[in-house]
Amino acid sequence: LNETVEQLTLPMEATPVLSMSERSWLKLHSLSFHGEYVDVAQMKAFPLFLSKGPRLRSLFMTVRQLPKTAYRRAPILGYRPPDDPFQPASIRLRSLTIAYPDPDDDIFSVDATDLHQLSLRDWPRYYGNLTYVDRQITGSPAPILTHAECLSILRRMNVPRLTSLELVYLVNPGVVDDELLSYISRAFPRLEHLQLHRYRADKEENVDYEHIAKLLVAACSLRTVRLNLNLHGDHGPYCNFVPTRQSWLAKFRDEIGPSIIGILQELPLLGCCELLYHQLGGSTWTEFRPAHGPEPHFIEYHDQDVHLYVIRLELLPSSSPLHDISHSYVGTLSFFQYDCAADMALGECPSRHLE
């Protein structure tokens, strides 16, 4: 298998990374992992495993981090000083998606001149932490990046061909992310698609969304913009209090969205701006189109932003077919979206106290 396979999409719980790292994967060009790490040994084996795939072009990792370990964020290639005799194989990525990345990881030092797509994100979605009571189920033990860490990663990478960028980050109290937004707007001349999930550590911060939009206008190559700005007053996902949802929707639709698109429509190639809206049944991207664009200029339900997560339902015995893959007991996986609205008392919006 390792001599012929070109693409792999695997659940982390059923992947024997340790044994896979003992072989070379000379034709592997696309690698995707999802789920949750099993233990620290599996996590630590990744740098060696990836060094065995010199032709890797696409890496997609939405893996929930392990709690209560020495690893604050899981290593991908890890970190090694320049004089270390063991260096990872030279890979030239075209697409890179990592949930909860380590800004010091060597993955951001590989040749990225061919990189078209970059996503430094969360998994599960961080906004679930702002509503759910049981963070052991919904959240991740690893912290999202700060805006300064995002900026340090982008400055390390030489990505002249980048066309799509997603960032998920936290803005600490008393600081601004203007430098990051300005860098994005001027450093990537081919950037067409931008998605930002900006969270505020200061729950009292009133996010100046017009100022953010004005900074992004300098990115004249943008065609689509997606923004989740964690605005003050947003009730968050699964709010069951109808008056709160109706009030926020009116402000979102009639004030915030038109104001942002009114600024961003100065971008010559912009087709639309999408803002994240938390409905009762899930979170969706709502579309606002420029005044010169086709009608309708507001589409309430455009595209769902799923924040699924993995749980282990049962163990399979070693006689099962999956045993040939993992050489151990593995969990069957179920992907679902937990609707905690059913668990809420009617008339209560649990996220209001977070504002």
Side-chain angles (χ1 to χ4, degrees), residues 116-118 154 159-167 181 183-196 216 219-225 267 269:
H116 289 263
Q117 181 270 331
L118 175 63
L154 295 179
V159 285
R161 295 179 174 85
L162 190 69
T163 60
S164 177
L165 175 64
E166 177 185 11
L167 297 178
L181 297 174
Y183 185 83
I184 293 171
S185 298
R186 70 173 186 270
F188 311 118
R190 299 187 182 185
L191 188 64
E192 297 181 358
H193 310 288
L194 176 64
Q195 182 172 164
L196 297 179
L216 296 179
C220 58
S221 59
L222 284 175
R223 295 180 180 271
T224 63
V225 177
L267 291 165
L269 302 177

PDB file of all heavy atoms in Angstrom, residues 116-118 154 159-167 181 183-196 216 219-225 267 269:
ATOM      1  N   HIS A 116      -1.444  27.426  -2.456  1.00  0.00           N
ATOM      2  CA  HIS A 116      -2.603  28.192  -2.909  1.00  0.00           C
ATOM      3  C   HIS A 116      -3.627  28.387  -1.791  1.00  0.00           C
ATOM      4  O   HIS A 116      -4.341  29.393  -1.787  1.00  0.00           O
ATOM      5  CB  HIS A 116      -3.283  27.482  -4.086  1.00  0.00           C
ATOM      6  CG  HIS A 116      -2.501  27.532  -5.361  1.00  0.00           C
ATOM      7  ND1 HIS A 116      -2.726  28.459  -6.353  1.00  0.00           N
ATOM      8  CD2 HIS A 116      -1.471  26.781  -5.802  1.00  0.00           C
ATOM      9  CE1 HIS A 116      -1.890  28.272  -7.349  1.00  0.00           C
ATOM     10  NE2 HIS A 116      -1.109  27.250  -7.043  1.00  0.00           N
ATOM     11  N   GLN A 117      -3.709  27.422  -0.886  1.00  0.00           N
ATOM     12  CA  GLN A 117      -4.738  27.464   0.156  1.00  0.00           C
ATOM     13  C   GLN A 117      -4.104  27.238   1.517  1.00  0.00           C
ATOM     14  O   GLN A 117      -3.336  26.297   1.716  1.00  0.00           O
ATOM     15  CB  GLN A 117      -5.807  26.395  -0.120  1.00  0.00           C
ATOM     16  CG  GLN A 117      -6.943  26.346   0.890  1.00  0.00           C
ATOM     17  CD  GLN A 117      -6.672  25.393   2.057  1.00  0.00           C
ATOM     18  OE1 GLN A 117      -5.959  24.407   1.898  1.00  0.00           O
ATOM     19  NE2 GLN A 117      -7.234  25.683   3.211  1.00  0.00           N
ATOM     20  N   LEU A 118      -4.439  28.121   2.483  1.00  0.00           N
ATOM     21  CA  LEU A 118      -3.916  28.014   3.842  1.00  0.00           C
ATOM     22  C   LEU A 118      -5.049  28.260   4.826  1.00  0.00           C
ATOM     23  O   LEU A 118      -5.761  29.264   4.738  1.00  0.00           O
ATOM     24  CB  LEU A 118      -2.804  29.038   4.073  1.00  0.00           C
ATOM     25  CG  LEU A 118      -2.239  29.128   5.497  1.00  0.00           C
ATOM     26  CD1 LEU A 118      -1.570  27.818   5.903  1.00  0.00           C
ATOM     27  CD2 LEU A 118      -1.264  30.297   5.618  1.00  0.00           C
ATOM     28  N   LEU A 154       2.410  33.922   9.264  1.00  0.00           N
ATOM     29  CA  LEU A 154       2.322  34.450   7.904  1.00  0.00           C
ATOM     30  C   LEU A 154       3.633  35.091   7.467  1.00  0.00           C
ATOM     31  O   LEU A 154       4.026  34.992   6.297  1.00  0.00           O
ATOM     32  CB  LEU A 154       1.178  35.464   7.817  1.00  0.00           C
ATOM     33  CG  LEU A 154      -0.232  34.903   8.040  1.00  0.00           C
ATOM     34  CD1 LEU A 154      -1.267  36.017   7.951  1.00  0.00           C
ATOM     35  CD2 LEU A 154      -0.555  33.798   7.049  1.00  0.00           C
ATOM     36  N   VAL A 159       4.542  32.849   0.430  1.00  0.00           N
ATOM     37  CA  VAL A 159       3.391  32.275  -0.279  1.00  0.00           C
ATOM     38  C   VAL A 159       2.916  33.231  -1.383  1.00  0.00           C
ATOM     39  O   VAL A 159       1.817  33.786  -1.320  1.00  0.00           O
ATOM     40  CB  VAL A 159       2.242  31.959   0.700  1.00  0.00           C
ATOM     41  CG1 VAL A 159       2.548  30.717   1.505  1.00  0.00           C
ATOM     42  CG2 VAL A 159       1.991  33.131   1.657  1.00  0.00           C
ATOM     43  N   PRO A 160       3.695  33.417  -2.420  1.00  0.00           N
ATOM     44  CA  PRO A 160       3.326  34.381  -3.466  1.00  0.00           C
ATOM     45  C   PRO A 160       2.100  33.974  -4.279  1.00  0.00           C
ATOM     46  O   PRO A 160       1.487  34.827  -4.927  1.00  0.00           O
ATOM     47  CB  PRO A 160       4.579  34.419  -4.351  1.00  0.00           C
ATOM     48  CG  PRO A 160       5.227  33.081  -4.145  1.00  0.00           C
ATOM     49  CD  PRO A 160       4.983  32.754  -2.704  1.00  0.00           C
ATOM     50  N   ARG A 161       1.719  32.680  -4.246  1.00  0.00           N
ATOM     51  CA  ARG A 161       0.591  32.202  -5.046  1.00  0.00           C
ATOM     52  C   ARG A 161      -0.675  31.977  -4.214  1.00  0.00           C
ATOM     53  O   ARG A 161      -1.646  31.412  -4.704  1.00  0.00           O
ATOM     54  CB  ARG A 161       0.968  30.906  -5.770  1.00  0.00           C
ATOM     55  CG  ARG A 161       2.065  31.078  -6.815  1.00  0.00           C
ATOM     56  CD  ARG A 161       2.415  29.749  -7.469  1.00  0.00           C
ATOM     57  NE  ARG A 161       3.351  29.912  -8.572  1.00  0.00           N
ATOM     58  CZ  ARG A 161       4.666  29.977  -8.424  1.00  0.00           C
ATOM     59  NH1 ARG A 161       5.193  29.884  -7.206  1.00  0.00           N
ATOM     60  NH2 ARG A 161       5.458  30.135  -9.466  1.00  0.00           N
ATOM     61  N   LEU A 162      -0.686  32.425  -2.978  1.00  0.00           N
ATOM     62  CA  LEU A 162      -1.823  32.173  -2.095  1.00  0.00           C
ATOM     63  C   LEU A 162      -3.089  32.834  -2.630  1.00  0.00           C
ATOM     64  O   LEU A 162      -3.117  34.038  -2.894  1.00  0.00           O
ATOM     65  CB  LEU A 162      -1.523  32.708  -0.690  1.00  0.00           C
ATOM     66  CG  LEU A 162      -2.520  32.303   0.401  1.00  0.00           C
ATOM     67  CD1 LEU A 162      -2.417  30.808   0.693  1.00  0.00           C
ATOM     68  CD2 LEU A 162      -2.274  33.104   1.680  1.00  0.00           C
ATOM     69  N   THR A 163      -4.156  32.030  -2.771  1.00  0.00           N
ATOM     70  CA  THR A 163      -5.442  32.551  -3.237  1.00  0.00           C
ATOM     71  C   THR A 163      -6.549  32.421  -2.199  1.00  0.00           C
ATOM     72  O   THR A 163      -7.570  33.106  -2.297  1.00  0.00           O
ATOM     73  CB  THR A 163      -5.893  31.830  -4.523  1.00  0.00           C
ATOM     74  OG1 THR A 163      -6.036  30.425  -4.254  1.00  0.00           O
ATOM     75  CG2 THR A 163      -4.888  32.034  -5.643  1.00  0.00           C
ATOM     76  N   SER A 164      -6.379  31.534  -1.202  1.00  0.00           N
ATOM     77  CA  SER A 164      -7.422  31.313  -0.200  1.00  0.00           C
ATOM     78  C   SER A 164      -6.794  31.243   1.188  1.00  0.00           C
ATOM     79  O   SER A 164      -5.849  30.482   1.406  1.00  0.00           O
ATOM     80  CB  SER A 164      -8.181  30.014  -0.500  1.00  0.00           C
ATOM     81  OG  SER A 164      -9.151  29.749   0.491  1.00  0.00           O
ATOM     82  N   LEU A 165      -7.346  32.031   2.124  1.00  0.00           N
ATOM     83  CA  LEU A 165      -6.783  32.102   3.479  1.00  0.00           C
ATOM     84  C   LEU A 165      -7.909  32.093   4.505  1.00  0.00           C
ATOM     85  O   LEU A 165      -8.876  32.850   4.396  1.00  0.00           O
ATOM     86  CB  LEU A 165      -5.954  33.380   3.637  1.00  0.00           C
ATOM     87  CG  LEU A 165      -5.392  33.671   5.039  1.00  0.00           C
ATOM     88  CD1 LEU A 165      -4.389  32.603   5.460  1.00  0.00           C
ATOM     89  CD2 LEU A 165      -4.746  35.060   5.076  1.00  0.00           C
ATOM     90  N   GLU A 166      -7.776  31.217   5.506  1.00  0.00           N
ATOM     91  CA  GLU A 166      -8.679  31.200   6.657  1.00  0.00           C
ATOM     92  C   GLU A 166      -7.850  31.319   7.927  1.00  0.00           C
ATOM     93  O   GLU A 166      -6.874  30.591   8.110  1.00  0.00           O
ATOM     94  CB  GLU A 166      -9.504  29.911   6.720  1.00  0.00           C
ATOM     95  CG  GLU A 166     -10.401  29.852   7.963  1.00  0.00           C
ATOM     96  CD  GLU A 166     -11.155  28.537   8.120  1.00  0.00           C
ATOM     97  OE1 GLU A 166     -10.838  27.578   7.381  1.00  0.00           O
ATOM     98  OE2 GLU A 166     -12.050  28.467   8.988  1.00  0.00           O
ATOM     99  N   LEU A 167      -8.252  32.232   8.811  1.00  0.00           N
ATOM    100  CA  LEU A 167      -7.587  32.418  10.096  1.00  0.00           C
ATOM    101  C   LEU A 167      -8.622  32.416  11.208  1.00  0.00           C
ATOM    102  O   LEU A 167      -9.693  33.016  11.078  1.00  0.00           O
ATOM    103  CB  LEU A 167      -6.819  33.743  10.136  1.00  0.00           C
ATOM    104  CG  LEU A 167      -5.660  33.931   9.156  1.00  0.00           C
ATOM    105  CD1 LEU A 167      -5.065  35.325   9.327  1.00  0.00           C
ATOM    106  CD2 LEU A 167      -4.595  32.867   9.339  1.00  0.00           C
ATOM    107  N   LEU A 181      -4.351  42.556  10.060  1.00  0.00           N
ATOM    108  CA  LEU A 181      -5.279  42.809   8.962  1.00  0.00           C
ATOM    109  C   LEU A 181      -4.603  43.602   7.844  1.00  0.00           C
ATOM    110  O   LEU A 181      -4.843  43.344   6.654  1.00  0.00           O
ATOM    111  CB  LEU A 181      -6.501  43.558   9.485  1.00  0.00           C
ATOM    112  CG  LEU A 181      -7.336  42.796  10.527  1.00  0.00           C
ATOM    113  CD1 LEU A 181      -8.439  43.685  11.077  1.00  0.00           C
ATOM    114  CD2 LEU A 181      -7.922  41.523   9.933  1.00  0.00           C
ATOM    115  N   TYR A 183      -1.416  43.515   7.147  1.00  0.00           N
ATOM    116  CA  TYR A 183      -0.471  42.606   6.493  1.00  0.00           C
ATOM    117  C   TYR A 183      -1.191  41.712   5.487  1.00  0.00           C
ATOM    118  O   TYR A 183      -0.710  41.505   4.364  1.00  0.00           O
ATOM    119  CB  TYR A 183       0.244  41.756   7.543  1.00  0.00           C
ATOM    120  CG  TYR A 183       1.325  40.867   6.965  1.00  0.00           C
ATOM    121  CD1 TYR A 183       2.597  41.365   6.722  1.00  0.00           C
ATOM    122  CD2 TYR A 183       1.062  39.535   6.650  1.00  0.00           C
ATOM    123  CE1 TYR A 183       3.590  40.560   6.183  1.00  0.00           C
ATOM    124  CE2 TYR A 183       2.046  38.725   6.110  1.00  0.00           C
ATOM    125  CZ  TYR A 183       3.309  39.241   5.879  1.00  0.00           C
ATOM    126  OH  TYR A 183       4.278  38.442   5.331  1.00  0.00           O
ATOM    127  N   ILE A 184      -2.340  41.175   5.884  1.00  0.00           N
ATOM    128  CA  ILE A 184      -3.128  40.339   4.973  1.00  0.00           C
ATOM    129  C   ILE A 184      -3.486  41.118   3.713  1.00  0.00           C
ATOM    130  O   ILE A 184      -3.425  40.601   2.590  1.00  0.00           O
ATOM    131  CB  ILE A 184      -4.405  39.847   5.676  1.00  0.00           C
ATOM    132  CG1 ILE A 184      -4.054  38.874   6.806  1.00  0.00           C
ATOM    133  CG2 ILE A 184      -5.359  39.179   4.682  1.00  0.00           C
ATOM    134  CD1 ILE A 184      -5.230  38.512   7.686  1.00  0.00           C
ATOM    135  N   SER A 185      -3.838  42.375   3.887  1.00  0.00           N
ATOM    136  CA  SER A 185      -4.323  43.182   2.766  1.00  0.00           C
ATOM    137  C   SER A 185      -3.235  43.532   1.766  1.00  0.00           C
ATOM    138  O   SER A 185      -3.528  43.780   0.591  1.00  0.00           O
ATOM    139  CB  SER A 185      -4.967  44.468   3.298  1.00  0.00           C
ATOM    140  OG  SER A 185      -6.092  44.160   4.103  1.00  0.00           O
ATOM    141  N   ARG A 186      -1.975  43.548   2.202  1.00  0.00           N
ATOM    142  CA  ARG A 186      -0.918  43.984   1.283  1.00  0.00           C
ATOM    143  C   ARG A 186       0.064  42.876   0.894  1.00  0.00           C
ATOM    144  O   ARG A 186       0.794  43.031  -0.098  1.00  0.00           O
ATOM    145  CB  ARG A 186      -0.138  45.142   1.897  1.00  0.00           C
ATOM    146  CG  ARG A 186       0.735  44.768   3.081  1.00  0.00           C
ATOM    147  CD  ARG A 186       1.614  45.927   3.529  1.00  0.00           C
ATOM    148  NE  ARG A 186       2.559  45.536   4.569  1.00  0.00           N
ATOM    149  CZ  ARG A 186       2.326  45.600   5.865  1.00  0.00           C
ATOM    150  NH1 ARG A 186       1.153  46.060   6.293  1.00  0.00           N
ATOM    151  NH2 ARG A 186       3.236  45.222   6.743  1.00  0.00           N
ATOM    152  N   ALA A 187       0.101  41.762   1.646  1.00  0.00           N
ATOM    153  CA  ALA A 187       1.162  40.772   1.444  1.00  0.00           C
ATOM    154  C   ALA A 187       0.818  39.698   0.421  1.00  0.00           C
ATOM    155  O   ALA A 187       1.718  38.986  -0.041  1.00  0.00           O
ATOM    156  CB  ALA A 187       1.511  40.102   2.778  1.00  0.00           C
ATOM    157  N   PHE A 188      -0.454  39.567   0.053  1.00  0.00           N
ATOM    158  CA  PHE A 188      -0.861  38.460  -0.812  1.00  0.00           C
ATOM    159  C   PHE A 188      -1.584  39.008  -2.043  1.00  0.00           C
ATOM    160  O   PHE A 188      -2.817  39.121  -2.054  1.00  0.00           O
ATOM    161  CB  PHE A 188      -1.760  37.490  -0.043  1.00  0.00           C
ATOM    162  CG  PHE A 188      -1.193  37.086   1.295  1.00  0.00           C
ATOM    163  CD1 PHE A 188      -1.860  37.384   2.469  1.00  0.00           C
ATOM    164  CD2 PHE A 188       0.026  36.425   1.371  1.00  0.00           C
ATOM    165  CE1 PHE A 188      -1.344  37.019   3.699  1.00  0.00           C
ATOM    166  CE2 PHE A 188       0.562  36.058   2.598  1.00  0.00           C
ATOM    167  CZ  PHE A 188      -0.121  36.359   3.765  1.00  0.00           C
ATOM    168  N   PRO A 189      -0.858  39.330  -3.080  1.00  0.00           N
ATOM    169  CA  PRO A 189      -1.451  40.005  -4.245  1.00  0.00           C
ATOM    170  C   PRO A 189      -2.444  39.157  -5.025  1.00  0.00           C
ATOM    171  O   PRO A 189      -3.227  39.700  -5.804  1.00  0.00           O
ATOM    172  CB  PRO A 189      -0.225  40.354  -5.101  1.00  0.00           C
ATOM    173  CG  PRO A 189       0.832  39.375  -4.685  1.00  0.00           C
ATOM    174  CD  PRO A 189       0.600  39.141  -3.230  1.00  0.00           C
ATOM    175  N   ARG A 190      -2.443  37.832  -4.815  1.00  0.00           N
ATOM    176  CA  ARG A 190      -3.373  36.961  -5.541  1.00  0.00           C
ATOM    177  C   ARG A 190      -4.519  36.458  -4.667  1.00  0.00           C
ATOM    178  O   ARG A 190      -5.307  35.615  -5.099  1.00  0.00           O
ATOM    179  CB  ARG A 190      -2.620  35.759  -6.124  1.00  0.00           C
ATOM    180  CG  ARG A 190      -1.538  36.131  -7.125  1.00  0.00           C
ATOM    181  CD  ARG A 190      -0.965  34.891  -7.786  1.00  0.00           C
ATOM    182  NE  ARG A 190       0.102  35.207  -8.727  1.00  0.00           N
ATOM    183  CZ  ARG A 190       0.713  34.324  -9.502  1.00  0.00           C
ATOM    184  NH1 ARG A 190       0.356  33.041  -9.435  1.00  0.00           N
ATOM    185  NH2 ARG A 190       1.670  34.692 -10.328  1.00  0.00           N
ATOM    186  N   LEU A 191      -4.643  36.959  -3.463  1.00  0.00           N
ATOM    187  CA  LEU A 191      -5.653  36.463  -2.532  1.00  0.00           C
ATOM    188  C   LEU A 191      -7.058  36.778  -3.032  1.00  0.00           C
ATOM    189  O   LEU A 191      -7.406  37.939  -3.248  1.00  0.00           O
ATOM    190  CB  LEU A 191      -5.439  37.087  -1.151  1.00  0.00           C
ATOM    191  CG  LEU A 191      -6.302  36.526  -0.018  1.00  0.00           C
ATOM    192  CD1 LEU A 191      -5.976  35.057   0.227  1.00  0.00           C
ATOM    193  CD2 LEU A 191      -6.113  37.340   1.258  1.00  0.00           C
ATOM    194  N   GLU A 192      -7.868  35.728  -3.204  1.00  0.00           N
ATOM    195  CA  GLU A 192      -9.232  35.887  -3.706  1.00  0.00           C
ATOM    196  C   GLU A 192     -10.290  35.591  -2.651  1.00  0.00           C
ATOM    197  O   GLU A 192     -11.378  36.171  -2.695  1.00  0.00           O
ATOM    198  CB  GLU A 192      -9.452  34.964  -4.912  1.00  0.00           C
ATOM    199  CG  GLU A 192      -8.558  35.280  -6.100  1.00  0.00           C
ATOM    200  CD  GLU A 192      -8.821  34.353  -7.276  1.00  0.00           C
ATOM    201  OE1 GLU A 192      -9.673  33.440  -7.129  1.00  0.00           O
ATOM    202  OE2 GLU A 192      -8.192  34.531  -8.333  1.00  0.00           O
ATOM    203  N   HIS A 193      -9.992  34.677  -1.726  1.00  0.00           N
ATOM    204  CA  HIS A 193     -10.992  34.241  -0.751  1.00  0.00           C
ATOM    205  C   HIS A 193     -10.401  34.348   0.653  1.00  0.00           C
ATOM    206  O   HIS A 193      -9.369  33.741   0.949  1.00  0.00           O
ATOM    207  CB  HIS A 193     -11.421  32.803  -1.034  1.00  0.00           C
ATOM    208  CG  HIS A 193     -11.809  32.570  -2.461  1.00  0.00           C
ATOM    209  ND1 HIS A 193     -12.970  33.066  -3.005  1.00  0.00           N
ATOM    210  CD2 HIS A 193     -11.165  31.914  -3.468  1.00  0.00           C
ATOM    211  CE1 HIS A 193     -13.041  32.717  -4.277  1.00  0.00           C
ATOM    212  NE2 HIS A 193     -11.960  32.023  -4.582  1.00  0.00           N
ATOM    213  N   LEU A 194     -11.076  35.113   1.498  1.00  0.00           N
ATOM    214  CA  LEU A 194     -10.600  35.346   2.862  1.00  0.00           C
ATOM    215  C   LEU A 194     -11.704  35.003   3.850  1.00  0.00           C
ATOM    216  O   LEU A 194     -12.850  35.433   3.696  1.00  0.00           O
ATOM    217  CB  LEU A 194     -10.187  36.809   3.038  1.00  0.00           C
ATOM    218  CG  LEU A 194      -9.751  37.227   4.449  1.00  0.00           C
ATOM    219  CD1 LEU A 194      -8.487  36.486   4.876  1.00  0.00           C
ATOM    220  CD2 LEU A 194      -9.549  38.740   4.516  1.00  0.00           C
ATOM    221  N   GLN A 195     -11.351  34.215   4.868  1.00  0.00           N
ATOM    222  CA  GLN A 195     -12.282  33.879   5.939  1.00  0.00           C
ATOM    223  C   GLN A 195     -11.604  34.158   7.278  1.00  0.00           C
ATOM    224  O   GLN A 195     -10.543  33.601   7.570  1.00  0.00           O
ATOM    225  CB  GLN A 195     -12.697  32.408   5.857  1.00  0.00           C
ATOM    226  CG  GLN A 195     -13.710  32.006   6.917  1.00  0.00           C
ATOM    227  CD  GLN A 195     -14.267  30.601   6.721  1.00  0.00           C
ATOM    228  OE1 GLN A 195     -14.854  30.024   7.638  1.00  0.00           O
ATOM    229  NE2 GLN A 195     -14.102  30.047   5.527  1.00  0.00           N
ATOM    230  N   LEU A 196     -12.225  35.024   8.076  1.00  0.00           N
ATOM    231  CA  LEU A 196     -11.676  35.401   9.376  1.00  0.00           C
ATOM    232  C   LEU A 196     -12.674  35.079  10.476  1.00  0.00           C
ATOM    233  O   LEU A 196     -13.845  35.461  10.402  1.00  0.00           O
ATOM    234  CB  LEU A 196     -11.359  36.900   9.418  1.00  0.00           C
ATOM    235  CG  LEU A 196     -10.298  37.434   8.452  1.00  0.00           C
ATOM    236  CD1 LEU A 196     -10.153  38.941   8.621  1.00  0.00           C
ATOM    237  CD2 LEU A 196      -8.964  36.740   8.661  1.00  0.00           C
ATOM    238  N   LEU A 216      -9.551  45.928   5.247  1.00  0.00           N
ATOM    239  CA  LEU A 216      -9.559  44.863   4.243  1.00  0.00           C
ATOM    240  C   LEU A 216      -9.751  45.383   2.824  1.00  0.00           C
ATOM    241  O   LEU A 216      -9.470  44.663   1.860  1.00  0.00           O
ATOM    242  CB  LEU A 216     -10.657  43.848   4.574  1.00  0.00           C
ATOM    243  CG  LEU A 216     -10.488  43.074   5.887  1.00  0.00           C
ATOM    244  CD1 LEU A 216     -11.654  42.121   6.097  1.00  0.00           C
ATOM    245  CD2 LEU A 216      -9.166  42.303   5.893  1.00  0.00           C
ATOM    246  N   ALA A 219      -7.061  44.970   0.152  1.00  0.00           N
ATOM    247  CA  ALA A 219      -6.804  43.686  -0.521  1.00  0.00           C
ATOM    248  C   ALA A 219      -7.632  43.636  -1.799  1.00  0.00           C
ATOM    249  O   ALA A 219      -8.671  42.972  -1.877  1.00  0.00           O
ATOM    250  CB  ALA A 219      -7.153  42.524   0.402  1.00  0.00           C
ATOM    251  N   CYS A 220      -7.173  44.319  -2.822  1.00  0.00           N
ATOM    252  CA  CYS A 220      -7.999  44.587  -3.999  1.00  0.00           C
ATOM    253  C   CYS A 220      -8.283  43.356  -4.846  1.00  0.00           C
ATOM    254  O   CYS A 220      -9.118  43.410  -5.754  1.00  0.00           O
ATOM    255  CB  CYS A 220      -7.358  45.677  -4.846  1.00  0.00           C
ATOM    256  SG  CYS A 220      -5.692  45.297  -5.405  1.00  0.00           S
ATOM    257  N   SER A 221      -7.619  42.227  -4.592  1.00  0.00           N
ATOM    258  CA  SER A 221      -7.861  41.024  -5.390  1.00  0.00           C
ATOM    259  C   SER A 221      -8.985  40.154  -4.829  1.00  0.00           C
ATOM    260  O   SER A 221      -9.359  39.153  -5.448  1.00  0.00           O
ATOM    261  CB  SER A 221      -6.577  40.191  -5.486  1.00  0.00           C
ATOM    262  OG  SER A 221      -6.121  39.827  -4.191  1.00  0.00           O
ATOM    263  N   LEU A 222      -9.545  40.518  -3.672  1.00  0.00           N
ATOM    264  CA  LEU A 222     -10.549  39.678  -3.017  1.00  0.00           C
ATOM    265  C   LEU A 222     -11.832  39.580  -3.839  1.00  0.00           C
ATOM    266  O   LEU A 222     -12.350  40.570  -4.349  1.00  0.00           O
ATOM    267  CB  LEU A 222     -10.881  40.232  -1.632  1.00  0.00           C
ATOM    268  CG  LEU A 222      -9.847  39.985  -0.535  1.00  0.00           C
ATOM    269  CD1 LEU A 222     -10.257  40.690   0.753  1.00  0.00           C
ATOM    270  CD2 LEU A 222      -9.674  38.488  -0.283  1.00  0.00           C
ATOM    271  N   ARG A 223     -12.356  38.341  -3.901  1.00  0.00           N
ATOM    272  CA  ARG A 223     -13.634  38.079  -4.555  1.00  0.00           C
ATOM    273  C   ARG A 223     -14.720  37.704  -3.549  1.00  0.00           C
ATOM    274  O   ARG A 223     -15.891  38.007  -3.762  1.00  0.00           O
ATOM    275  CB  ARG A 223     -13.480  36.959  -5.592  1.00  0.00           C
ATOM    276  CG  ARG A 223     -12.564  37.333  -6.756  1.00  0.00           C
ATOM    277  CD  ARG A 223     -12.434  36.201  -7.759  1.00  0.00           C
ATOM    278  NE  ARG A 223     -11.566  36.559  -8.865  1.00  0.00           N
ATOM    279  CZ  ARG A 223     -11.973  37.155  -9.978  1.00  0.00           C
ATOM    280  NH1 ARG A 223     -13.265  37.451 -10.132  1.00  0.00           N
ATOM    281  NH2 ARG A 223     -11.127  37.450 -10.937  1.00  0.00           N
ATOM    282  N   THR A 224     -14.344  37.012  -2.477  1.00  0.00           N
ATOM    283  CA  THR A 224     -15.294  36.680  -1.419  1.00  0.00           C
ATOM    284  C   THR A 224     -14.631  36.914  -0.065  1.00  0.00           C
ATOM    285  O   THR A 224     -13.434  36.674   0.104  1.00  0.00           O
ATOM    286  CB  THR A 224     -15.768  35.213  -1.494  1.00  0.00           C
ATOM    287  OG1 THR A 224     -14.651  34.334  -1.305  1.00  0.00           O
ATOM    288  CG2 THR A 224     -16.439  34.921  -2.827  1.00  0.00           C
ATOM    289  N   VAL A 225     -15.439  37.373   0.899  1.00  0.00           N
ATOM    290  CA  VAL A 225     -14.969  37.602   2.262  1.00  0.00           C
ATOM    291  C   VAL A 225     -15.974  36.976   3.211  1.00  0.00           C
ATOM    292  O   VAL A 225     -17.185  37.226   3.105  1.00  0.00           O
ATOM    293  CB  VAL A 225     -14.832  39.106   2.574  1.00  0.00           C
ATOM    294  CG1 VAL A 225     -14.412  39.310   4.033  1.00  0.00           C
ATOM    295  CG2 VAL A 225     -13.823  39.761   1.639  1.00  0.00           C
ATOM    296  N   LEU A 267     -14.079  47.065  -3.175  1.00  0.00           N
ATOM    297  CA  LEU A 267     -13.196  46.072  -3.786  1.00  0.00           C
ATOM    298  C   LEU A 267     -13.682  45.796  -5.208  1.00  0.00           C
ATOM    299  O   LEU A 267     -14.835  45.401  -5.408  1.00  0.00           O
ATOM    300  CB  LEU A 267     -13.199  44.787  -2.967  1.00  0.00           C
ATOM    301  CG  LEU A 267     -12.525  44.868  -1.595  1.00  0.00           C
ATOM    302  CD1 LEU A 267     -12.908  43.670  -0.734  1.00  0.00           C
ATOM    303  CD2 LEU A 267     -11.013  44.947  -1.753  1.00  0.00           C
ATOM    304  N   LEU A 269     -13.344  43.446  -7.431  1.00  0.00           N
ATOM    305  CA  LEU A 269     -13.723  42.106  -7.868  1.00  0.00           C
ATOM    306  C   LEU A 269     -14.695  41.418  -6.911  1.00  0.00           C
ATOM    307  O   LEU A 269     -15.077  40.267  -7.153  1.00  0.00           O
ATOM    308  CB  LEU A 269     -12.470  41.233  -8.022  1.00  0.00           C
ATOM    309  CG  LEU A 269     -11.395  41.745  -8.989  1.00  0.00           C
ATOM    310  CD1 LEU A 269     -10.187  40.812  -8.980  1.00  0.00           C
ATOM    311  CD2 LEU A 269     -11.949  41.880 -10.399  1.00  0.00           C
TER     312      LEU A 269
END
